[in-house]
Amino acid sequence: MTSIAAEAAAEPSYLKAGYTLRSWLLTTDHKRIAVLYMISVTAFFFLGGAAAAAVRINLITPEGAILTADGYNKAFTIHGVIMVWFFLIPSIPATFGNFLIPLMIGARDLAFPRLNLASWYILMFGASFTMYALVAGGVDTGWTFYTPYSSMFSNSHVIAAIIGVFISGFSSIATGLNFIVTIHKLRAPGMTWFRLPIFVWTHYATSLILVLATPVLAISLILIAAERLLGIGVFDPALGGDPLLFQHLFWFYSHPAVYIMILPAMGVVTELVTAFSRRRIFGYSFVAFSSLAIATLGFMVWGHHMFVSGQSMYAGMVFSILSFLIAVPSAIKVYNWTATLYKGQIALDTPMLYAMGFIGLFVVGGITGLFVASLAVDVHVTDTYFVVAHFHYIMVGATVMGYLGALHYWWPKITGRMYPEWWGRISAAFVFFGFNLTFFPQFILGYLGMPRRYFTYPPEFQVLNVMSSAGASILAVAYLFPFFYLLWSLRYGKIAGPNPWGAAGLEWTTSSPPPKHNFPEIPVVTAEAYAYPVAADGGATHHG
Amino acid sequence: MEPTKGVELWPVQLSQHAQQVDWVILAFTALLVVLVLPVFAAMIYFAVKYRRGSMADRSPSASRNVWLEASWSVIPFLLAGVFFAWAASLYFDLFHPPADSLGIDVVAKQWMWKFEHPGGQREIDTLHVPVNTPVELTMISEDVIHSLYFPALRIKQDVLPGRYTRLWFKADKVGEYHLHCAEFCGTDHARMGGSLIVLDPEGYQRWLGQAGADTSLAAAGEALFRKYGCSGCHGANSSVRAPNLAGVYGSPVPLDGGGTVIADERYIRDSVLFPKKQVAAGYKPIMPTFQGQVSEEDLLKLIAYIKSLS
């Protein structure tokens, strides 16, 4: 292994393969494209975060502190649209999946490098429409675009926003397709399916959803445009349409989309837990197949968003029991991560703190998911802050924790430099604390009966809202820390070496940052994934 | 309105259903805490005991155990299944109002709730109901989707354009409680709310008297029945061959082309607006549509009139 890293280091790294802007914007190197994605989704994350800040500041007083009714409606809409389609969906797959899948399976690149670059341009092109909607005056439908409000009643820039989302969907489809073909065709000799890191399995499952679900979103958005622009009656009963049809189509995409957001993070956490306890994942095949089970069952639970919509009672019951069922593969993962720690060599470095934070928040999000899957309970809490809290525990608590964990763990591989560990740990602790202070009070608010998407609320809810806003301000600062210290580390961070964590996995056998073609020659794989202990080579093992 | 100040930690329970829902969530929380706490405890214990460099015993152990994994998947699922069934049975009840419910019509629009009592009393954003009496709301929207939400009763139901939905409850405490719109419906969504006022029976009667309606819904419907010309064909002395509407409400109607349909609110509404959709067997499809001519409120009055003929 040492020799691979040494040979790889003899070649210029992918970062030094060219210094011009052109060498970045026209690159077909999956690692550079991953960096392009990382820069873009970071920008979207802070933009969506600014909208969230406006929402939370407004809710400090019951009358609404800073925004008008319309201003508030536009703020939460743009927060949702940006965070879902321009941060969460591309976040882990398009950055870390892109960077790591070829490295993890021993390939030189993805199967379709130019398509990969095109995916990034498509996302940027889509984003430009959505950004236009934002600067032209905003959109006020909520990220869910429910009809007939979005198609016939809203006076905001619905069409520009949905064109942006529609276009960005093709980026998802192309990326998913690229991953599927790559994982099937470009595995190194000896890299059998059951030697793949779980990260690759979860990205495979995610890619299936991206390819199969995204077209349905495209269909529903086109139908909104047809009704809004051409007056073709699809959803508005006044034109002979059915408003619930939209909800079925929308959630047929958008529930699986939640698994697009969480599965890659589960893959990340599996890598982190194994690396920082230096243990093989407990129950490899259960964990691998549970990803596919989640992807499959994820397509059969959309109706649990519609228990009070007017869909049939029996449909509600079927969707409820299926939603209980999908908790099983999720629970398997949690139990198996915990069992992996047993007899491990555990180090609580920043990535591991994020991984453990992920597990804690994911469990809370999952449990409250069972509450909202319970029919009569959901009738009370749906469309309240309870649901807002629930899905933020999954999408922000879990997924953003996973993203930040990945960012710290693979930062030395991507940049060749270590981040400052002390700052990393402090930030992880602040993210965890700030997150819980922001969102835990929202469970109570929701159960007490505060509906979501309210710019003004009854005064008895103020105390909990102020707590939530206070938490949000801590969270905002905690998210800014890594932004600054990671930038700092690009220049001043300690040189990482090929394998600073002593981790298993092919990506750690090549130099940091890797050369343009990843490996001097295609590696031959002879061992299972997570073959610990790993002999730490040349790299600065950070724990001495 | 007398909202409680400060932090309220548990919402008022205004019905038996509300109590039941609270029991489901409390008991379910207890079960899940029992299932999850050992996991968190094990995580922390392992993180300390097996910290890198500690002297703990690390003799080789299995990295899989199918029985263990199967049992920690299946047993929690079966335990959770109890709560699926409990919550589902409460949901089932929500779809089955008692036959003797007091019927109140609800018409939603951006951004107000209009309520109409059987006696013709109308109110906006405030709903007066008698205590310990089952109340059934028949709801429709004039524009976008809304959702009528009574937190104290733990119930809500979306209110759709073009289709009736229902919600029933039996409030068991006199008082004033919030009602909200829970489905985002545009600019003033957050202001589309008001109060549910639960009165004792005498108080409710007094309120009905004070609210001062000239005519009951059914009587108003009868006047509309003549105004829109319905009586020309469906009236007792009509020469046109059209179904007699007396007693039709709630009974099965054989359809032209086979099948039957129960003549409920939906069927009557559709027959007025889309008369060619489900033609009664033995009649010619000659009725003109009234789409765009009859408001949702008038439709509800016409339905009240047709109901009164049964």
Side-chain angles (χ1 to χ4, degrees):
Chain A
M1 284 195 176
T2 312
S3 61
I4 297 177
E7 265 183 70
E11 286 182 53
S13 82
Y14 80 100
L15 292 173
K16 294 184 176 159
Y19 293 96
T20 58
L21 189 60
R22 183 190 161 86
S23 76
W24 280 92
L25 293 180
L26 293 181
T27 181
T28 54
D29 181 343
H30 66 103
K31 299 181 290 301
R32 285 192 163 211
I33 295 170
V35 172
L36 292 177
Y37 270 113
M38 186 184 288
I39 294 167
S40 338
V41 300
T42 303
F44 293 134
F45 178 76
F46 283 108
L47 201 58
V55 164
R56 281 313 331 164
I57 292 171
N58 193 63
L59 292 176
I60 288 173
T61 68
E63 304 77 32
I66 53 167
L67 297 169
T68 60
D70 280 327
Y72 181 84
N73 297 342
K74 288 171 180 172
F76 73 68
T77 300
I78 209 68
H79 166 67
V81 169
I82 291 181
M83 287 301 202
V84 168
W85 281 296
F86 298 101
F87 176 72
L88 287 165
I89 299 257
S91 61
I92 297 178
T95 54
F96 299 106
N98 224 329
F99 195 97
L100 292 165
I101 288 173
L103 283 165
M104 284 180 164
I105 66 173
R108 297 211 183 280
D109 206 318
L110 289 177
F112 308 116
R114 277 174 292 196
L115 181 66
N116 192 22
L117 180 64
S119 303
W120 181 74
Y121 276 101
I122 293 168
L123 184 72
M124 293 303 106
F125 185 56
S128 64
F129 280 90
T130 304
M131 294 308 129
Y132 166 78
L134 177 62
V135 294
V139 55
D140 73 346
T141 59
W143 76 279
T144 47
F145 296 119
Y146 267 23
T147 56
Y149 183 72
S150 64
S151 59
M152 301 304 289
F153 289 85
S154 171
N155 292 316
S156 60
H157 293 80
V158 177
I159 292 293
I162 63 178
I163 288 176
V165 174
F166 174 81
I167 293 172
S168 76
F170 290 93
S171 168
S172 293
I173 295 171
T175 301
L177 188 73
N178 217 338
F179 287 175
I180 291 172
V181 175
T182 305
I183 296 168
H184 271 275
K185 304 302 290 183
L186 297 187
R187 283 171 288 124
M191 179 56 92
T192 60
W193 282 89
F194 291 97
R195 285 176 178 170
L196 288 173
I198 295 293
F199 181 91
V200 179
W201 274 101
T202 60
H203 276 74
Y204 186 77
T206 306
S207 303
L208 292 177
I209 307 176
L210 285 169
V211 170
L212 295 175
T214 315
V216 181
L217 174 71
I219 293 166
S220 20
L221 296 176
I222 287 180
L223 292 176
I224 290 184
E227 184 163 284
R228 194 173 166 93
L229 296 176
L230 308 173
I232 297 171
V234 183
F235 304 122
D236 186 0
L239 301 173
D242 179 352
L244 290 195
L245 175 63
F246 176 78
Q247 295 180 25
H248 283 290
L249 290 170
F250 181 80
W251 290 116
F252 187 85
Y253 163 81
S254 289
H255 197 78
V258 175
Y259 300 107
I260 297 175
M261 302 170 200
I262 196 70
L263 277 167
M266 290 169 156
V268 167
V269 167
T270 308
E271 301 305 309
L272 302 185
V273 167
T274 50
F276 289 91
S277 50
R278 295 197 173 147
R279 286 270 289 165
R280 185 167 201 251
I281 184 72
F282 185 83
Y284 176 96
S285 49
F286 266 77
V287 176
F289 282 117
S290 65
S291 306
L292 294 181
I294 288 172
T296 311
L297 283 171
F299 278 102
M300 301 178 201
V301 297
W302 78 90
H304 68 207
H305 295 268
M306 299 172 63
F307 289 158
V308 301
S309 70
Q311 87 179 348
S312 101
M313 179 186 73
Y314 296 105
M317 289 183 178
V318 172
F319 283 121
S320 172
I321 191 75
L322 287 168
S323 307
F324 271 69
L325 198 57
I326 203 169
V328 172
S330 306
I332 287 175
K333 288 185 190 271
V334 171
Y335 284 121
N336 285 32
W337 289 323
T338 310
T340 303
L341 301 176
Y342 178 61
K343 296 193 174 180
Q345 303 270 356
I346 298 167
L348 295 179
D349 292 301
T350 306
M352 187 60 161
L353 292 180
Y354 278 116
M356 294 180 88
F358 170 100
I359 296 172
L361 301 181
F362 175 72
V363 165
V364 175
I367 283 178
T368 52
L370 284 172
F371 293 161
V372 293
S374 305
L375 289 156
V377 174
D378 187 64
V379 169
H380 173 41
V381 298
T382 188
D383 282 321
T384 70
Y385 265 85
F386 192 94
V387 166
V388 175
H390 156 68
F391 72 72
H392 279 88
Y393 265 80
I394 298 290
M395 291 163 145
V396 186
T399 301
V400 177
M401 285 288 202
Y403 182 83
L404 289 171
L407 189 60
H408 287 81
Y409 179 59
W410 283 292
W411 188 255
K413 184 54 63 184
I414 294 169
T415 67
R417 303 271 184 171
M418 296 303 294
Y419 61 87
E421 185 60 41
W422 187 85
W423 280 101
R425 290 181 187 175
I426 291 290
S427 306
F430 271 87
V431 167
F432 187 79
F433 175 73
F435 176 85
N436 281 297
L437 184 58
T438 307
F439 291 104
F440 200 84
Q442 296 186 6
F443 283 123
I444 305 170
L445 273 174
Y447 205 79
L448 289 174
M450 177 164 163
R452 65 192 286 203
R453 297 174 169 173
Y454 265 32
F455 79 99
T456 174
Y457 55 83
E460 65 265 32
F461 296 142
Q462 187 173 14
V463 175
L464 288 161
N465 270 299
V466 169
M467 283 169 73
S468 181
S469 295
S473 63
I474 294 172
L475 195 53
V477 174
Y479 283 147
L480 282 170
F481 280 166
F483 181 76
F484 290 112
Y485 67 68
L486 289 176
L487 283 181
W488 174 89
S489 78
L490 287 178
R491 196 175 172 89
Y492 303 104
K494 198 165 60 152
I495 301 290
N499 190 3
W501 309 116
L506 287 181
E507 79 269 31
W508 299 108
T509 62
T510 190
S511 55
S512 302
K516 188 175 179 195
H517 292 297
N518 296 346
F519 304 98
E521 45 195 85
I522 293 296
V524 176
V525 180
T526 52
E528 60 185 12
Y530 315 114
Y532 286 99
V534 173
D537 60 306
T541 29
H542 163 88
H543 292 281
Chain B
M1 199 88 265
E2 34 180 311
T4 351
K5 299 286 178 201
V7 189
E8 185 192 8
L9 282 176
W10 202 258
V12 193
Q13 297 171 329
L14 187 52
S15 63
Q16 266 200 328
H17 177 83
Q19 285 177 24
Q20 288 282 320
V21 171
D22 289 355
W23 273 117
V24 173
I25 199 153
L26 287 173
F28 206 178
T29 307
L31 170 69
L32 292 168
V33 166
V34 167
L35 290 174
V36 159
L37 271 190
V39 177
F40 286 168
M43 263 175 65
I44 294 166
Y45 176 72
F46 292 158
V48 175
K49 180 167 181 195
Y50 299 112
R51 69 189 179 278
R52 209 163 280 178
S54 78
M55 298 306 286
D57 167 34
R58 290 188 178 84
S59 53
S61 65
S63 72
R64 59 179 303 182
N65 182 336
V66 175
W67 286 109
L68 180 65
E69 291 175 83
S71 61
W72 72 34
S73 319
V74 173
I75 294 170
F77 177 71
L78 294 178
L79 290 172
V82 173
F83 290 88
F84 158 76
W86 188 0
S89 78
L90 290 172
Y91 186 67
F92 182 88
D93 294 343
L94 290 178
F95 284 82
H96 294 87
D100 59 343
S101 301
L102 167 67
I104 295 177
D105 294 333
V106 182
V107 176
K109 59 180 276 192
Q110 290 175 321
W111 291 276
M112 64 166 74
W113 296 102
K114 295 186 279 190
F115 300 100
E116 292 195 329
H117 295 254
Q121 295 84 355
R122 298 159 49 90
E123 47 185 336
I124 289 178
D125 290 345
T126 305
L127 173 60
H128 289 80
V129 296
V131 72
N132 289 327
T133 309
V135 174
E136 184 183 0
L137 306 176
T138 300
M139 313 189 287
I140 196 157
S141 165
E142 290 182 349
D143 40 47
V144 300
I145 299 175
H146 302 277
S147 187
L148 185 55
Y149 178 31
F150 300 104
L153 295 161
R154 313 286 186 274
I155 53 172
K156 69 170 71 67
Q157 170 63 51
D158 285 6
V159 181
L160 307 174
R163 203 179 113 188
Y164 294 117
T165 53
R166 278 160 215 296
L167 188 60
W168 83 272
F169 59 86
K170 188 162 121 180
D172 60 15
K173 280 184 206 65
V174 169
E176 186 170 348
Y177 310 92
H178 288 302
L179 70 85
H180 297 292
C181 179
E183 185 64 69
F184 180 68
C185 58
T187 307
D188 270 336
H189 167 59
R191 292 209 177 101
M192 186 171 163
S195 310
L196 170 70
I197 298 180
V198 182
L199 300 167
D200 56 42
E202 303 78 51
Y204 181 64
Q205 287 308 324
R206 210 174 315 125
W207 177 81
L208 286 178
Q210 286 162 358
D214 318 328
T215 42
S216 71
L217 281 191
E222 188 178 7
L224 292 170
F225 196 72
R226 285 193 299 274
K227 180 184 153 204
Y228 287 113
C230 314
S231 54
C233 300
H234 293 284
N237 307 319
S238 165
S239 56
V240 181
R241 213 177 105 68
N244 181 356
L245 300 182
V248 74
Y249 180 78
S251 57
V253 176
L255 292 179
D256 194 37
T260 55
V261 62
I262 300 290
D264 55 4
E265 286 94 341
R266 179 203 67 80
Y267 178 68
I268 298 171
R269 181 179 184 279
D270 284 1
S271 298
V272 176
L273 301 182
F274 315 103
K276 306 237 173 346
K277 195 168 141 193
Q278 289 178 308
V279 179
Y283 295 92
K284 293 206 177 73
I286 51 172
M287 176 165 159
T289 173
F290 286 80
Q291 207 182 354
Q293 301 170 44
V294 191
S295 71
E296 294 295 349
E297 285 166 75
D298 284 357
L299 277 164
L300 285 162
K301 289 189 183 112
L302 285 168
I303 291 168
Y305 170 61
I306 291 167
K307 276 186 188 176
S308 74
L309 298 176
S310 321

